[in-house]
Amino acid sequence: MKTSIRRNRRAAVAVALGSVLALTATACGDDGSGSAGDKGNEGSGKGEITFWDNNGGVRTDIWKQIISDFEKKYPNIKVNYVGIPAASAQSKYDTAIQGGGLPDVGGVGTAMLAEVAVQGALEPLDGRLAKSPLNGRLSQNLLASSKAAGGGDQLYQIPTSSNNGTLWYRTDLFKKAGLDAPTTWDTFYTAADKLTDKGRNRFGFTIRGGEGSIAPALDAAYSQSGITSFWNGDKTTVNDPKNVAALEKYVALYKKDTPSADVNNDFTKMVAQWDSGTIGMLSHNLGSYQDHLKALGAGKFRGLPNPTQADGTRVQISNPVDGLSLFKSSKNKAAAWKFVEFALSHEENSKFNQSAGQIPANTDAAKDDWIQKAEPTKLAAEALNGAGTKIVQLPYYLPDWNTISKADNEPNFQKVLLGKMSAKDFLNTLADQLNKAQADWKQNH
């Protein structure tokens, strides 16, 4: 039987703990140098803490501003900033868990959260949040995503921000064609057809067929089907007949209302293709706003949350959530938690997300002026935090999730677009892999 990644992780942790016991010098002081098995302590709430930024370079300037603000408010605490490129953050944490040198607090996204938590490296945060001024001031949907990504039992991440699926559309082309805004799936499909003129190389939509194609496809399926849970007991709902029918309708757009090049396009090629000005709609997140503004100019496009059902029901899959985690090995958890609380405060969380162009986790920050002036972000925040919005939590906690959703099934989705595989067979294959991964996880969790 295939050995689970989580079992391998546990073995690695055991080896690491033996090394730590032999090298006790690496676990002394309030310098954040600990291993996964080190329980740490609360500390004095003063002194030095180490913070790892999991998107170093891209977010370095804004984090240094936040750290400067923090040190002014808490002059008895010094924050040592370490910037780590996003591509190497997972391996950096894994190495430190096994060999020592973990920070007191660090950025941990939902894509890696379970892998770090299962190694015993993270402090559960439910109790701290319950006693914090932040309690009741953070997006409940993002908190739910954070808890689900950590395995569902405890909260190991305080969310700082999220992206959201966004349907970008050409307002000038819609106006010329007399079309309503694509707020529902019915208006979306009508527009995709009407805006397509193959003879003039004009298309209503561009579909993501290359790298990163699975999440948009699942978002389209669940959003149309209205199914609100990824699991029904221990079996996934991805291959529910309603999802099959929804995906069939979605992929039928390929080459009929989309360019044929879409089968190989990742988000950069897809965005560039849409920015050329000959395509009506593009499904991508908030991060491409500046590209559209530069290419098309203000007033020619809008960004809406992905379409709803005809009655306004909104179902969407969970998007990756970035956040801060407290490490169990920290010798100064009191000071590290103060930093988390400060970074998630109204003013600082707003400042961070304005820089990142993302949705603040702090619901007060989500009402600030800069968001009201940035319509795509404003609408995305309203959709994400809407009382009627149903979030389908993707199983980021599964060790095999990335492999299943990328290496195993992106080529299969291309086969679906090319007519070499049915949507039903594609979703059945995906479901079989997910059900086995879920069973393995439950056995070893």
Side-chain angles (χ1 to χ4, degrees), residues 175-204:
K175 183 178 180 180
K176 185 177 180 180
L179 291 166
D180 294 331
T183 55
T184 68
W185 282 103
D186 287 342
T187 54
F188 165 82
Y189 283 113
T190 296
D193 277 337
K194 193 163 185 179
L195 292 174
T196 297
D197 184 346
K198 292 183 181 179
R200 300 174 63 194
N201 198 36
R202 296 185 180 276
F203 297 92

Side-chain angles (χ1 to χ4, degrees), residues 330-406:
S330 170
K331 304 299 187 296
N332 203 347
K333 293 175 187 174
W337 179 247
K338 285 181 183 178
F339 179 71
V340 173
E341 288 185 317
F342 183 82
L344 267 295
S345 65
H346 177 170
E347 182 178 352
E348 300 301 321
N349 192 233
S350 182
K351 182 186 300 183
F352 176 84
N353 282 285
Q354 184 174 12
S355 171
Q358 294 185 325
I359 303 169
N362 187 301
T363 52
D364 293 326
K367 300 172 186 175
D368 282 354
D369 285 346
W370 69 268
I371 285 190
Q372 306 311 308
K373 295 174 182 176
E375 186 191 41
T377 307
K378 173 179 179 289
L379 296 175
E382 290 173 352
L384 179 66
N385 295 316
T389 298
K390 305 298 183 183
I391 307 292
V392 178
Q393 301 292 349
L394 295 183
Y396 296 116
Y397 61 87
L398 292 177
D400 294 332
W401 168 248
N402 284 335
T403 300
I404 292 171
S405 64
K406 292 182 180 294

